[in-house]
Amino acid sequence: MAALWRGCGRLLARRPGAAQALTAGTLMGAGDVIAQQLVERRGLQGHQGSRTMKMMAIGFCFVGPVVGSWYRILDQLVPGATKVVAAKKMVLDQGGFAPCFLGCFLAITGAMNGLSVEENWSKIRQDYTDALLTNYCIWPPVQMANFYLVPLQHRLAVVQCVAIIWNCYLSWKANRM
């Protein structure tokens, strides 16, 4: 078993995009499980496994690749690791990327939940502002620390660990009908 883990570790080290997608998908699933069990109190009998799988798929196919790529682009746009550079990255992240990313996330979740275009647009209009304001309460200090203290290759993992709580909120918000 230890050899299997070492082999997986070597493979993921050679393929950082795969590691980021795997991390994001796993932690998106964990956030959904927490949302269903602790926030919504569904219990094991009421747990919607298909919803957890959808959230994991969004993490694997959207969150991991998009956020991982964004961090690489941001490092090219604003190179360095000073406090001023971290502040610039945080402003770009929270002022430009986060609003777009959140809208796309809500749209993808709605589509995966089978909403029509009209229903999806209505749900986005209902949830977007509240979700974005909540984002601004959580993410600016996290991102300042992340951009200042954490090497590029570990930023998505650090964010995803903090994001278990955020993912729980997003899952609850996006799946509330």
Side-chain angles (χ1 to χ4, degrees):
M1 187 61 141
L4 176 63
W5 284 112
R6 280 192 304 275
C8 287
R10 284 191 300 271
L11 176 65
L12 293 176
R14 288 191 309 259
R15 301 197 40 117
Q20 291 171 340
L22 184 62
T23 301
T26 301
L27 294 175
M28 289 291 293
D32 181 68
V33 169
I34 292 167
Q36 290 193 53
Q37 296 306 313
L38 298 181
V39 177
E40 300 167 27
R41 300 189 185 278
R42 291 180 176 271
L44 294 179
Q45 297 298 325
H47 188 87
Q48 297 173 342
S50 62
R51 175 177 138 181
T52 300
M53 296 305 285
K54 288 175 191 175
M55 293 303 289
M56 290 177 74
I58 291 169
F60 292 139
C61 299
F62 176 67
V63 175
V66 170
V67 175
S69 296
W70 167 243
Y71 287 156
R72 286 189 295 280
I73 290 166
L74 195 54
D75 247 31
Q76 292 171 352
L77 288 174
V78 188
T82 66
K83 289 178 186 173
V84 171
V85 167
K88 288 178 182 177
K89 288 178 180 179
M90 186 275 296
V91 167
L92 286 172
D93 182 67
Q94 293 300 299
F97 179 76
C100 297
F101 177 82
L102 185 57
C104 291
F105 173 84
L106 292 171
I108 290 167
T109 304
M112 289 186 72
N113 284 335
L115 298 181
S116 69
V117 172
E118 294 81 17
E119 292 168 328
N120 204 0
W121 181 242
S122 176
K123 179 118 176 74
I124 291 167
R125 280 197 321 263
Q126 171 189 321
D127 293 343
Y128 180 80
T129 301
D130 184 50
L132 188 61
L133 291 175
T134 303
N135 169 83
Y136 289 145
C137 291
I138 295 169
W139 287 109
V142 171
Q143 290 295 51
M144 275 296 294
N146 197 29
F147 294 135
Y148 184 58
L149 302 171
V150 180
L152 175 62
Q153 68 270 23
H154 301 300
R155 285 187 190 143
L156 180 61
V158 168
V159 164
Q160 284 298 319
C161 288
V162 174
I164 288 178
I165 295 165
W166 176 244
N167 294 340
C168 176
Y169 169 78
L170 281 182
S171 179
W172 168 78
K173 182 65 112 174
N175 289 289
R176 192 174 48 108
M177 296 297 171

